[in-house]
């Protein structure tokens, strides 16, 4: 599925795509193409990429490449797949009731869920908000536990 | 059990609602709902309402708007002019204090009835009542009425005006001030009235004739192509004379005449409408004689219209450079209600806004598309990263044009990101990260070193070394 979406393996590529996506939401999925959950997520991303094309772009990042490890550390990516949202080179947080507001962890249950999330991000960003609320009901949000440095 | 249940039910409410009891010192007295004309809403605040700041603001707005209308009337108070019966229906005046509509039917002078109303005793009474009710300062009362002395002066002026008018021109109502219309205009009105009675079937097939008969009736002085000085406002009428047409014109030409006469009789008439008229008559146009410069461009437009339209008539008329009407030219022109536009098919008002941008005649769709695009350019300036976006757009354009060589991004650039476990601004977290990044390779080097020095490393040592760097646990799903 990832042949439908750009896969980025270098920091430079990630940088350029973050900087060059203007006035559109940039969806960056950090994951592995061998992981089943990542593939599920990729499937949904690929199917909805076209519908979002007017206000969003989707790209995949392979966390196994070394160049990208800086970002893996910077964004504190510990669980995969993790999805980050950017707008005009600014990172947008989303409060979905989970511990980590900076990213979306896990896959989406439906294509429509993903589209709703991107829309919420877009609307908030256009209004100037750096954090938005998640439009999905809690049962459709994948739950996980974050570990903090051995805790 | 029941006791427990009761105690559970009567849990102490952390935020008790304040219920006004009979002995409470609740200042809010309930009063009947009434309507505030100024704020345009109902309220039950009673007498206190007029002191609220929102009300005072609305009141000042309200009064200033009405004041503007009154200044217009005062203008005519100083310069009385004769009111034409055709215009009378336009000059209506709503007095907000008396809630009454003052119209000008049957008055011989502009704003006659309005001035009389504003000078009246009734109006004064109602005005005072309004000021009291809505809490305005009483010294402003005089701004909204006309004193009797002034009215008397005005009446004198009117009388003198009338007497002058009757003495100077018999049969022609010449005006000294305001509307220097000519006798020709007068004749035109007569023609117009007659034409109006005729049925107008101008939309029919004559338009699709391939050959455009030359109806160009010239007075050479007119074709000087001077610029159109904009909208003819306040008092200047477009002066229309229907050209004398050759005798072999079909009967629809008379209806065309009527269109123009009718259309142009209404003043003020703006450029788009005129040019629309000219264009949409299917290239049949008429020469406008005007003593003023206003319609000269129409003439030159008309000339060009013929040249272009005749070539375009067999196919769908696409563009006409000089008329402003963006409507496509069909065999049957869509009728619109409205003063004068119904039969001429001039561009509808909602397209007139785009007319100024392009002088080309393009199909409606194009204009719609272009107006959409202009809407998009007004993205919310408060959106996230707006400044960055603008800067980047400019940079990208310049890169495209080749002015700036694509410079490689700083390899240490990081987007602003607030980390997961941190408090403080994003910049701070980024700094933290960079510090950590610098520390990391040192630590890693050390650990490697230690590994090489000590061939045997106990498990405890290994785990301790590993914990020095931030944990990265990767769980499958």
């Amino acid at each position: 599925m990832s042949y439908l979406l750009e896969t980025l393996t270098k920091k430079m590529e990630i940088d350029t795509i973050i900087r060059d996506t203007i006035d559109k939401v940039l969806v960056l999925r950090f994951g592995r193409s061998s992981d089943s959950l990542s593939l599920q997520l990729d499937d949904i991303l690929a199917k909805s990429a076209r519908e979002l094309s007017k206000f969003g772009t989707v790209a995949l990042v392979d966390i196994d490449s070394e160049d990208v490890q800086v970002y893996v550390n910077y964004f504190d990516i510990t669980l995969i797949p993790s999805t980050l949202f950017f707008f005009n080179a600014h990172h947008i947080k989303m409060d979905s009731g989970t511990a980590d507001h900076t990213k979306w962890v896990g896959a989406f249950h439906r294509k429509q869920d993903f589209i709703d999330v991107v829309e919420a991000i877009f609307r908030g960003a256009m209004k100037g908000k750096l954090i938005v609320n998640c439009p999905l009901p809690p049962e459709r949000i994948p739950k996980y536990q974050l570990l903090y440095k051995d805790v | 059990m029941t006791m427990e249940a009761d105690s559970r039910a009567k849990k102490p409410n952390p935020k008790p609602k304040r219920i006004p009891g009979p002995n409470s010192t609740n200042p809010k007295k309930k009063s009947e709902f009434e309507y505030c004309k100024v704020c345009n809403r109902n309220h039950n605040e009673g007498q206190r309402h007029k002191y609220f700041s929102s009300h005072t603001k609305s009141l000042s707005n309200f009064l200033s708007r009405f004041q503007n209308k009154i200044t217009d009337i005062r203008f005519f108070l100083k310069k009385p002019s004769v009111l034409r019966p055709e215009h009378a229906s336009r000059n209506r005046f709503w007095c907000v204090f008396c809630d009454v509509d003052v119209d000008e039917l049957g008055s011989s002078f502009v704003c006659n009835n309005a001035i009389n109303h504003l000078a009246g005793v009734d109006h004064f009474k109602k005005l005072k009542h309004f000021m009291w009710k809505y809490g305005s300062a009483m010294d402003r009362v005089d701004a909204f009425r006309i004193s009797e002395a002034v009215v008397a002066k005005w009446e004198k002026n009117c009388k003198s005006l009338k007497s002058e008018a009757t003495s100077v021109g018999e049969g022609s109502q010449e005006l000294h001030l305001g509307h220097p219309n000519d006798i020709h205009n007068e004749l035109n009105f007569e023609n117009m009235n007659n034409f109006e009675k005729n049925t107008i079937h101008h939309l029919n097939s004559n338009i699709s004739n391939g050959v455009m008969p030359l109806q160009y009736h010239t007075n050479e002085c007119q074709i000087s192509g001077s610029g159109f000085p904009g909208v003819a406002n306040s008092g200047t009428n477009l002066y229309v004379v229907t050209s004398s047409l050759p005798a072999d014109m079909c009967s629809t030409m008379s209806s065309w005449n009527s269109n123009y006469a009718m259309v142009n009789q209404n003043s003020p008439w703006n450029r788009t409408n005129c040019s629309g008229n000219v264009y949409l008559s299917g290239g049949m146009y008429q020469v406008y004689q005007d003593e003023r410069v206003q319609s000269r461009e129409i003439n030159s437009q008309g000339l060009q219209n013929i040249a272009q339209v005749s070539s375009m008539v067999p196919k769908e008329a696409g563009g006409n450079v000089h008329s402003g009407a963006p409507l496509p030219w069909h065999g049957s022109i869509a009728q619109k209600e409205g003063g004068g536009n119904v039969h001429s098919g001039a561009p509808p008002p909602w397209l007139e806004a785009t007319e100024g941008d392009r002088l080309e005649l393009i199909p409606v769709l194009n204009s719609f598309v272009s107006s959409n695009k202009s809407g998009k350019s007004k993205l919310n300036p408060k959106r996230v990263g707006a400044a960055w976006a603008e800067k980047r757009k400019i940079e990208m354009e310049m890169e495209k044009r080749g002015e700036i060589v694509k410079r490689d991004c700083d390899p240490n650039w990081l987007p602003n990101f607030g980390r997961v476990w941190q408090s403080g601004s994003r910049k701070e977290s980024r700094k933290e990260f960079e510090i950590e990044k610098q520390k990391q390779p040192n630590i890693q080097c050390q650990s490697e070193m230690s590994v090489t020095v000590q061939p045997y490393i106990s498990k405890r040592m290994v785990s301790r070394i590993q914990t020095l760097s931030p944990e990265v646990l990767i769980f499958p799903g």
Side-chain angles (χ1 to χ4, degrees), chain A residues 19-86:
Chain A
R19 292 159 72 104
D20 291 347
T21 310
I22 298 181
D23 295 336
K24 277 192 186 181
V25 177
L26 173 65
V27 180
L28 279 187
R29 177 230 71 175
F30 285 79
R32 266 194 206 110
S33 44
S34 48
D35 173 44
S36 62
L37 199 63
S38 294
L39 286 175
Q40 270 184 30
L41 177 62
D42 289 354
D43 176 47
I44 291 187
L45 294 181
K47 282 184 190 167
S48 30
R50 196 196 164 115
E51 264 127 70
L52 300 172
S53 57
K54 293 234 169 185
F55 63 100
T57 334
V58 183
L60 310 178
V61 179
D62 187 12
I63 53 162
D64 288 331
S65 78
E66 295 131 14
D67 211 8
V68 164
Q69 293 306 310
V70 175
Y71 275 134
V72 172
N73 291 333
Y74 185 48
F75 295 142
D76 276 337
I77 294 172
T78 50
L79 302 164
I80 54 166
S82 287
T83 314
L84 277 89
F85 302 97
F86 291 86

Side-chain angles (χ1 to χ4, degrees), chain A residues 73-127:
Chain A
N73 291 333
Y74 185 48
F75 295 142
D76 276 337
I77 294 172
T78 50
L79 302 164
I80 54 166
S82 287
T83 314
L84 277 89
F85 302 97
F86 291 86
F87 187 83
N88 278 344
H90 288 261
H91 170 73
I92 307 286
K93 298 192 195 185
M94 186 168 71
D95 179 5
S96 39
T98 58
D100 188 357
H101 296 174
T102 59
K103 56 179 82 72
W104 175 273
V105 174
F108 290 91
H109 286 232
R110 299 179 202 156
K111 201 170 108 177
Q112 189 55 47
D113 286 353
F114 174 59
I115 296 176
D116 288 344
V117 163
V118 178
E119 182 190 344
I121 300 238
F122 184 73
R123 281 187 191 278
M126 284 304 252
K127 284 194 185 162

Side-chain angles (χ1 to χ4, degrees), chain A residues 11 15 19-20 22-23 71 74-76 78-79 87-91 102-103 125-126 128-129 147-148 150, chain B residues 379-380 382-385 388-389 392-393 411 413 415-418 420-421 426 430 433 471 473-475:
Chain A
K11 182 182 187 289
D15 282 351
R19 292 159 72 104
D20 291 347
I22 298 181
D23 295 336
Y71 275 134
Y74 185 48
F75 295 142
D76 276 337
T78 50
L79 302 164
F87 187 83
N88 278 344
H90 288 261
H91 170 73
T102 59
K103 56 179 82 72
M126 284 304 252
K129 294 183 190 258
L147 292 173
Y148 176 70
D150 287 350
Chain B
L379 282 177
N380 183 1
K382 285 195 240 167
R383 69 188 188 280
V384 169
W388 166 269
R392 195 80 187 102
K393 265 192 218 167
W413 179 81
N416 84 337
F417 175 81
V420 184
W421 304 101
R426 293 185 179 194
R430 194 161 142 189
F433 176 75
E471 284 282 297
L473 299 169
I474 296 182
F475 288 97

Side-chain angles (χ1 to χ4, degrees), chain B residues 148-267:
Chain B
E148 284 161 6
V150 181
V151 172
K153 238 198 268 175
W154 175 77
E155 279 181 6
K156 258 195 229 167
N157 285 342
C158 287
K159 278 188 196 151
S160 58
L161 198 67
K162 232 185 188 172
S163 54
E164 276 178 25
T166 48
S167 62
V168 170
E170 307 240 339
S172 73
Q173 304 164 18
E174 250 183 284
L175 303 174
H176 286 286
L177 299 157
H179 308 268
N181 291 328
D182 286 330
I183 301 172
H184 290 125
N185 215 353
E186 193 46 31
L187 281 178
N188 240 12
F189 291 148
E190 289 174 0
N191 287 342
M192 182 273 298
N193 288 331
N194 291 333
F195 282 133
E196 267 181 343
K197 292 171 194 161
N198 298 336
T199 56
I200 298 170
H201 300 294
H202 62 285
L203 298 179
N204 295 333
S205 57
N206 287 318
I207 296 165
S208 51
N209 284 342
V211 177
M212 287 289 123
L214 185 65
Q215 307 117 26
Y216 183 56
H217 174 78
T218 52
N219 287 338
E220 271 75 21
C221 59
Q222 295 162 9
I223 320 296
S224 54
S226 54
F228 191 79
V231 177
N233 277 332
S234 60
T236 56
N237 281 332
L238 268 184
Y239 171 62
V240 177
V241 163
T242 62
S243 60
S244 62
L245 302 165
D248 57 349
M249 277 299 124
C250 44
S251 62
T252 52
M253 280 314 297
S254 60
S255 62
W256 286 114
N257 289 349
S258 70
N259 291 340
Y260 288 108
M262 200 168 63
V263 162
N264 290 295
Q265 183 261 325
N266 291 324
S267 72

Side-chain angles (χ1 to χ4, degrees), chain B residues 358-428:
Chain B
R358 312 151 283 116
L359 289 177
E360 302 165 2
L361 238 203
I362 49 179
V364 181
L365 201 61
N366 270 1
S367 68
F368 184 66
V369 165
S370 66
S371 59
N372 259 355
K373 275 190 189 161
S374 65
K376 219 204 163 168
S377 65
K378 300 172 200 161
L379 282 177
N380 183 1
K382 285 195 240 167
R383 69 188 188 280
V384 169
W388 166 269
E390 300 304 318
K391 210 175 72 173
R392 195 80 187 102
K393 265 192 218 167
I394 295 169
E395 268 179 29
M396 283 173 89
E397 268 184 44
M398 288 167 82
E399 278 169 14
K400 266 192 207 166
R401 282 185 264 148
E403 285 175 15
I404 296 183
V405 177
K406 223 182 186 179
R407 52 182 173 83
D408 292 329
C409 318
D410 177 19
N412 291 333
W413 179 81
L414 291 167
N416 84 337
F417 175 81
R419 303 177 71 189
V420 184
W421 304 101
Q422 59 93 28
S423 56
S425 73
R426 293 185 179 194
K427 265 193 191 168
E428 284 177 26

